[in-house]
């Protein structure tokens, strides 16, 4: 079974995306193709990149990096649930990505973006794609953008709009297909 880590990329304590990420985790489990691990970047609580050596060396001086490395290493594929800040992905998320290198390589990744406004964070997802391909990740062809996030979260958690579960299933299908392809030699 593909080990899928669903990463909630938000770090604000009052994040509206956290309930969305929990819903993505539930949907991924229901899908059936994945062994799902939720990852909350706020709990990982990385500092700004403080490793003396490049991530590409794999020589990590700090325990927080080794723990983050082991967690990312243990995944076959990812879904990133990411907020949009000022038209782009967030600084803490890019920082967490930059901490590692080999651990990301060759792994499928699906994007679920969200924002308060009408775009659903699609521009943030678009901007992240070159970063992910640069790292040798395999982005899913389909992605999900969730507009008006604040109106969709409440005491009951995240309330998906019509069609969203189907869109997310498309991302899962893409990830499952990419995970099946043999790694390049
Ligand atoms: C620093 C910052 C910048 C934001 N910029 C945008 C933006 O450009 N467009 C938008 O629609 N919403 C913007 N928002 C609203 C967020 O998309 C919305 O608050 C979302 O819930 C943020 O994710 P989070 O709750 O997980 O932190 C911004 C929020 C923050 C905190």
């Amino acid at each position: 079974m593909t080990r899928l880590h669903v990463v909630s990329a938000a770090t604000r304590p009052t994040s509206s995306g956290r309930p969305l990420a929990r819903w993505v985790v539930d949907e991924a489990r229901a899908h059936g193709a994945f062994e799902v691990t939720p990852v909350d970047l706020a709990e990982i609580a990385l500092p700004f990149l403080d490793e003396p050596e490049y991530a590409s060396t794999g020589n990590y001086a700090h325990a927080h990096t080794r723990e983050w490395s082991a967690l990312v290493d243990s995944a076959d594929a990812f879904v990133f649930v990411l907020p949009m800040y000022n038209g782009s992905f967030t600084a803490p998320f890019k920082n967490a990505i930059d901490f590692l290198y080999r651990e990301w390589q060759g792994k499928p990744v699906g994007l679920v973006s969200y924002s308060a406004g009408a775009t659903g964070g699609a521009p943030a997802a678009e901007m992240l794609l070159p970063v992910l391909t640069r790292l040798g990740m395999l982005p899913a062809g389909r992605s999900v953008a969730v507009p008006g996030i604040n109106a969709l979260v409440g005491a009951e958690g995240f309330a998906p709009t019509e069609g969203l579960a189907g869109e997310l299933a498309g991302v899962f299908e893409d990830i499952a297909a990419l995970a099946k392809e043999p790694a390049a030699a």
Side-chain angles (χ1 to χ4, degrees):
M1 225 184 218
T2 301
R3 295 167 301 171
L4 181 74
H5 285 21
V6 176
V7 180
S8 172
T11 50
R12 290 194 315 131
T14 53
S15 167
S16 297
R18 212 160 279 124
L20 166 63
R22 281 196 286 271
W23 175 74
V24 172
V25 166
D26 291 343
E27 292 292 306
R29 287 189 172 134
H31 182 272
F34 308 111
E35 183 189 320
V36 182
T37 300
V39 176
D40 186 336
L41 211 58
E43 288 173 8
I44 305 296
L46 288 164
F48 278 147
L49 181 60
D50 58 353
E51 283 292 334
E53 294 197 42
Y54 288 162
S56 55
T57 66
N59 295 330
Y60 302 134
H62 300 297
H64 55 252
T65 314
R66 290 192 289 274
E67 284 162 20
W68 178 226
S69 167
L71 184 59
V72 172
D73 235 359
S74 68
D76 301 314
F78 301 89
V79 171
F80 293 157
V81 183
L82 66 143
M84 181 169 82
Y85 289 176
N86 297 314
S88 185
F89 49 80
T90 67
F93 186 36
K94 179 63 161 50
N95 180 62
I97 291 171
D98 291 341
F99 254 96
L100 307 176
Y101 185 69
R102 176 196 52 78
E103 296 86 340
W104 301 116
Q105 287 187 324
K107 295 182 180 176
V109 55
L111 300 180
V112 175
S113 62
Y114 60 93
S115 71
T119 66
E126 280 296 313
M127 287 184 195
L128 189 62
L129 281 176
V131 176
L132 303 181
T133 50
R134 173 105 186 183
L135 278 168
M137 298 191 81
L138 310 174
R142 285 172 278 190
S143 58
V144 173
V146 181
I149 184 68
N150 295 320
L152 301 177
V153 294
E156 304 294 309
F158 175 73
T161 47
E162 203 184 333
L164 210 58
E167 287 181 39
L168 184 59
V171 175
F172 293 148
E173 281 163 32
D174 288 351
I175 292 171
L178 287 166
K180 273 201 193 103
E181 285 171 19

